[in-house]
Amino acid sequence: MTQGINHLGLTVAKLDQSVRFFTETLGWQLKGGVPSYPAKFVSDGKLFITLWQAKDPEKAVPFNRKTNIGLHHLALTVDSFETLDLLHQRFLHTPGVVIEFAPELNGKGPTKHMMIREPSGNRIEFAHNPPKN
C-alpha cells in the first residue's frame, strides 16, 4: 500500500545552520520554504526534507534516544567507503556538527557506518553496504 517515504519533517533549533549543513556540507539543493512558519525544504534528488524552525529554540528540549518517543535517527546511504571517509573528514571541520562515532563496521560488517548530530542536534547515520558478489 505504501511506496516509500514522501518526505521527512525535522524540527530544528538552528534553521540557517541546518540548511547550510544539508546544502553546503552534503551538497543538497534548497527547494523552497515557508517564511511565515518558518520552514525550508531541502533535497538530494531522492529524499525531500522539511526543516521546521522550533518556535522557541532556547526552551526546546533536545531529543534523548533512550527516553523520548520520536525519530531515533535518519539513516542515509552513501555510494562507497571512500565517500563515508570523505564525509567524516568534512564533518570534522563543519561548525555545529557532533560526531558520535567515526566510520566503523556495523556489527561484523561488511557495512560501515557513522553517526553524527547535525547543527540542530538531529541524529543522522551515514552507511555504505557494499554489493554482494
Side-chain angles (χ1 to χ4, degrees):
M1 295 179 76
T2 63
Q3 298 179 348
I5 293 175
N6 177 277
H7 72 279
L8 183 71
L10 295 176
T11 300
V12 296
K14 302 170 184 173
L15 183 59
D16 292 335
Q17 285 183 346
S18 292
V19 168
R20 279 195 303 277
F21 170 78
F22 280 96
T23 58
E24 295 175 11
T25 305
L26 297 182
W28 290 34
Q29 293 182 345
L30 181 63
K31 295 293 189 177
V34 179
S36 62
Y37 188 86
K40 298 220 176 155
F41 314 130
V42 294
S43 177
D44 68 354
K46 294 182 181 180
L47 179 60
F48 191 91
I49 295 180
T50 300
L51 300 170
W52 302 95
Q53 174 67 53
K55 184 175 181 178
D56 189 350
E58 298 300 319
K59 292 183 181 176
V61 178
F63 180 79
N64 180 318
R65 67 185 176 88
K66 294 181 180 180
T67 60
N68 295 91
I69 302 298
L71 182 70
H72 185 274
H73 69 279
L74 169 64
L76 300 173
T77 299
V78 299
D79 62 357
S80 67
F81 293 135
E82 292 78 18
T83 298
L84 195 62
D85 290 336
L86 172 73
L87 285 172
H88 177 248
Q89 289 304 309
R90 229 179 245 184
F91 297 154
L92 288 170
H93 305 288
T94 303
V97 169
V98 174
I99 299 170
E100 287 192 17
F101 59 85
E104 64 182 27
L105 287 176
N106 187 350
K108 295 181 181 180
T111 299
K112 282 180 116 177
H113 66 151
M114 72 175 157
M115 186 76 72
I116 65 144
R117 288 186 183 265
E118 56 84 40
S120 288
N122 289 296
R123 298 176 81 230
I124 304 175
E125 178 182 16
F126 296 85
H128 176 66
N129 188 7
K132 296 180 180 178
N133 295 333

